[in-house]
């Protein structure tokens, strides 16, 4: 398994290229703000051929490079229908105070081929089997992607902005809900094995076991205390 990741753009959004091995087909996860040059560099370095872009959610810091990346390689983009509008209307997705600052700087829009994700779907792409879980809270259409455990590697969980090392995604933007993100943490994250590697939308790699032991929000839902204990305003904000 090859996973090449790098932080891109003003918000340090993690973009990932995932392939069975070097020299094979790959999937690109969350090519965000200023990610296109890093994508091209990783493709060349590892001799990869992209077959699809998949998106954990529609915020601009995760989708800003979707059009150039998909266009350069003639591949589709996959996104949950609840977040699809964000590709063409990021100001509505972010609120006027944030979106208006960016609209003059960035070109937005949909790639030619957009396909919609559903909860529980299995995407067979580039020789990979990605399991999709709808995980609203950060946005209404947030999803996660999980690769199954193999004899060589533990399961890998691409959490987007649902779960970070030590924190969770912000819920104060349009479509965000603290109650929903806690429910998503309980439903999507808690059943995962402790050995599951977590690759999030921002920040460093972690594991479910590490977060189960130390993340105040995951500990809160594990203890069955939704809405109490951990203060959402105390979480370090990463990305949008």
């Amino acid at each position: 398994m090859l996973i090449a990741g790098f932080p891109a753009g003003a918000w340090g959004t993690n973009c990932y290229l995932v392939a069975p091995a070097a020299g094979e087909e790959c999937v690109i996860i969350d090519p965000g703000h200023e990610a296109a040059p890093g994508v091209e560099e990783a493709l060349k370095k590892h001799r990869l051929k992209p077959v699809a872009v998949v998106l954990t959610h529609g915020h601009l810091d995760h989708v800003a490079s979707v059009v150039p990346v998909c266009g350069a390689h003639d591949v589709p983009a996959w996104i949950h229908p609840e977040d699809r509008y964000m590709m063409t209307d990021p100001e509505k997705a972010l609120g006027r105070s944030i979106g208006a600052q960016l609209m003059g700087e960035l070109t937005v829009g949909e790639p030619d081929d957009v396909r919609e994700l559903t909860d529980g779907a299995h995407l067979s792409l580039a020789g990979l089997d990605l399991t999709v879980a709808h995980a609203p809270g950060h946005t209404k259409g947030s999803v996660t992607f999980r690769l199954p455990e193999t004899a060589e590697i533990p399961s890998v969980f691409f959490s987007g902005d649902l779960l970070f090392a030590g924190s969770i995604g912000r819920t104060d933007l349009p479509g965000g809900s603290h109650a929903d993100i806690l429910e998503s943490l309980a439903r999507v994250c808690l059943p995962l094995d402790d050995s599951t590697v977590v690759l999030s939308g921002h920040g460093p790699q972690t594991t479910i076991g590490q977060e189960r032991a130390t993340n105040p929000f995951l500990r809160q839902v594990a203890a069955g205390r939704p809405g109490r204990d951990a203060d959402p305003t105390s979480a370090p904000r990463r990305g949008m």
Side-chain angles (χ1 to χ4, degrees), residues 138-154:
H138 180 61
T139 67
K140 290 184 178 181
S142 289
V143 302
T144 65
F145 302 105
R146 183 171 55 86
L147 288 168
E149 180 181 6
T150 69
E152 293 77 26
I153 62 168

Side-chain angles (χ1 to χ4, degrees), residues 88-162:
T88 55
D89 195 357
E91 185 172 342
K92 183 177 179 182
L94 298 172
R96 183 169 296 276
S97 62
I98 297 176
Q101 300 173 36
L102 300 172
M103 292 309 295
E105 303 174 19
L106 301 170
T107 300
V108 298
E110 287 192 356
D112 292 338
D113 187 354
V114 179
R115 306 180 188 185
E116 295 187 345
L117 298 166
T118 57
D119 185 44
H122 291 269
L123 300 182
S124 296
L125 300 167
L128 306 167
D129 181 19
L130 290 167
T131 300
V132 180
H134 185 209
H138 180 61
T139 67
K140 290 184 178 181
S142 289
V143 302
T144 65
F145 302 105
R146 183 171 55 86
L147 288 168
E149 180 181 6
T150 69
E152 293 77 26
I153 62 168
S155 178
V156 179
F157 180 61
F158 297 94
S159 64
D161 286 7
L162 170 64

Side-chain angles (χ1 to χ4, degrees), residues 11-190:
W11 297 276
T13 304
N14 291 327
C15 177
Y16 301 100
L17 289 80
V18 188
E24 299 194 24
E25 293 182 334
C26 74
V27 170
I28 301 169
I29 300 176
D30 288 356
H33 181 235
E34 297 182 347
V39 168
E40 296 305 319
E41 180 180 346
L43 291 173
K44 182 177 180 181
K45 177 180 179 180
H46 299 289
R47 298 173 287 109
L48 300 172
K49 175 180 172 53
V51 298
V53 167
V54 296
L55 303 167
T56 61
H57 63 288
H59 279 160
L60 197 60
D61 59 327
H62 289 251
V63 307
S65 294
V66 169
V67 170
V69 168
C70 287
H73 300 282
D74 192 25
V75 298
W78 293 78
I79 191 168
H80 192 277
E82 290 271 16
D83 277 13
R84 181 170 178 172
Y85 76 93
M86 296 185 184
M87 291 194 287
T88 55
D89 195 357
E91 185 172 342
K92 183 177 179 182
L94 298 172
R96 183 169 296 276
S97 62
I98 297 176
Q101 300 173 36
L102 300 172
M103 292 309 295
E105 303 174 19
L106 301 170
T107 300
V108 298
E110 287 192 356
D112 292 338
D113 187 354
V114 179
R115 306 180 188 185
E116 295 187 345
L117 298 166
T118 57
D119 185 44
H122 291 269
L123 300 182
S124 296
L125 300 167
L128 306 167
D129 181 19
L130 290 167
T131 300
V132 180
H134 185 209
H138 180 61
T139 67
K140 290 184 178 181
S142 289
V143 302
T144 65
F145 302 105
R146 183 171 55 86
L147 288 168
E149 180 181 6
T150 69
E152 293 77 26
I153 62 168
S155 178
V156 179
F157 180 61
F158 297 94
S159 64
D161 286 7
L162 170 64
L163 179 68
F164 302 136
S167 189
I168 59 173
R170 62 190 294 181
T171 57
D172 59 327
L173 295 174
S177 166
H178 187 64
D180 285 350
I181 206 168
L182 293 181
E183 190 280 331
S184 292
L185 289 170
R187 176 176 48 83
V188 177
C189 297
L190 284 184

